[in-house]
Amino acid sequence: MPLRLIHAESDGLPGLIVDRYAGTLVVQFLSAGPEFWRATIADILLEETGLVSMYERSDVDVRELEGLPSRTAPCAAPIRIHPSPFTNTI
């Protein structure tokens, strides 16, 4: 069953939408603010949910108004293996 975890302005996080489908998070970074913090947000979401799969679906026209490209792909997020951080596409 799908679950909306973050609904942008309604949750005090303008431009960010996060849904959970089974074991995968689907995120939309709709404005420059969340886009700037993209890697940090992805890392926190995966850490807090305990999930390892995240897909970005930032392919809406509103991104063009802020000069952001459309993006639809699996997210790259840091995977921490003690003591060094490694980046992998998940």
Side-chain angles (χ1 to χ4, degrees):
M1 181 168 115
L3 175 66
R4 176 142 294 167
L5 300 177
I6 299 174
H7 194 221
E9 289 82 359
S10 298
D11 291 323
L13 296 165
L16 179 64
I17 296 175
V18 182
D19 295 316
R20 179 179 179 162
Y21 296 92
T24 301
L25 293 177
V26 178
V27 296
Q28 287 184 304
F29 299 98
L30 304 176
S31 63
E35 180 70 23
F36 180 81
W37 293 102
R38 184 176 171 273
T40 302
I41 291 169
D43 189 29
I44 291 169
L45 287 169
L46 292 172
E47 182 179 326
E48 290 297 317
T49 62
L51 299 176
V52 296
S53 178
M54 181 180 292
Y55 192 82
E56 182 173 357
R57 186 74 199 269
S58 300
D59 58 350
V60 294
D61 294 337
V62 71
R63 285 177 58 89
E64 293 177 19
L65 299 174
E66 298 204 26
L68 301 172
S70 180
R71 185 183 302 121
T72 303
C75 288
I79 295 175
R80 289 185 175 28
I81 301 172
H82 299 290
S84 302
F86 297 94
T87 300
N88 191 11
T89 300
I90 53 176

